[in-house]
Amino acid sequence: MELTGKVIAVMEPRSGVSARTGNAWMTQEYVIEVPGQYPKRCLFNIFGEDRIKQFNIQMGEEVTISFDIDAREYNGRWFNDIRAYNVTRGTVAPAAAPEQAAATQGAVDNPFPPAEPTSEGTSDDDLPF
């Protein structure tokens, strides 16, 4: 899955040592805002010190993230995990204004122009009604 938007928050990295393997680990979380009429926000993380340094995500950047979603259970409660595996920098395409989109849609739906208003008595036709 992919999302494109602006990074609006960068959290502090967290690190530790795995109790199972004894290996060191590091993760960092970010919040991305996806533009639109009703902007959406999504918290995602990057796991691994090498990837955190490779992507080097900064506040205010326009990015596209590729991510996987997974859920895990802890003490009878379930938690979602959105983990990014690729980040590309780019620009966000601006959303069309609702009025402009409606005008464009109307032009496509109605190929005939609207009838011109006429005042009574100035009609060119010979019909009495």
Side-chain angles (χ1 to χ4, degrees), residues 20-38:
R20 189 171 42 134
T21 63
N23 296 334
W25 57 268
M26 178 182 268
T27 187
Q28 189 166 7
E29 294 178 326
Y30 306 87
V31 178
I32 187 172
E33 185 174 71
V34 180
Q37 182 178 4
Y38 302 106

Side-chain angles (χ1 to χ4, degrees), residues 106-125:
V108 172
D109 289 344
N110 187 7
F112 302 105
E116 293 181 15
T118 59
S119 62
E120 240 182 89
T122 61
S123 176
D124 291 341
D125 61 9

Side-chain angles (χ1 to χ4, degrees), residues 9-115:
V10 178
M11 312 309 174
E12 289 296 318
R14 294 179 298 152
S15 60
V17 176
S18 171
R20 189 171 42 134
T21 63
N23 296 334
W25 57 268
M26 178 182 268
T27 187
Q28 189 166 7
E29 294 178 326
Y30 306 87
V31 178
I32 187 172
E33 185 174 71
V34 180
Q37 182 178 4
Y38 302 106
K40 302 289 184 194
R41 295 178 181 146
C42 178
L43 174 76
F44 68 96
N45 69 41
I46 297 178
F47 188 83
E49 184 176 6
D50 55 337
R51 286 192 176 191
I52 292 170
K53 289 180 181 178
Q54 173 190 356
F55 298 142
N56 191 24
I57 299 173
Q58 302 297 316
M59 180 84 134
E61 280 187 312
E62 304 288 337
V63 297
T64 298
I65 60 167
S66 301
F67 60 92
D68 289 324
I69 300 175
D70 195 17
R72 65 187 186 289
E73 186 260 339
Y74 179 73
N75 288 340
R77 295 186 62 197
W78 286 88
F79 300 91
N80 288 323
D81 187 29
I82 300 174
R83 185 170 294 175
Y85 59 85
N86 192 20
V87 176
T88 54
R89 282 156 175 81
T91 58
V92 176
E99 299 84 25
Q100 181 183 8
T104 304
Q105 183 66 26
V108 172
D109 289 344
N110 187 7
F112 302 105

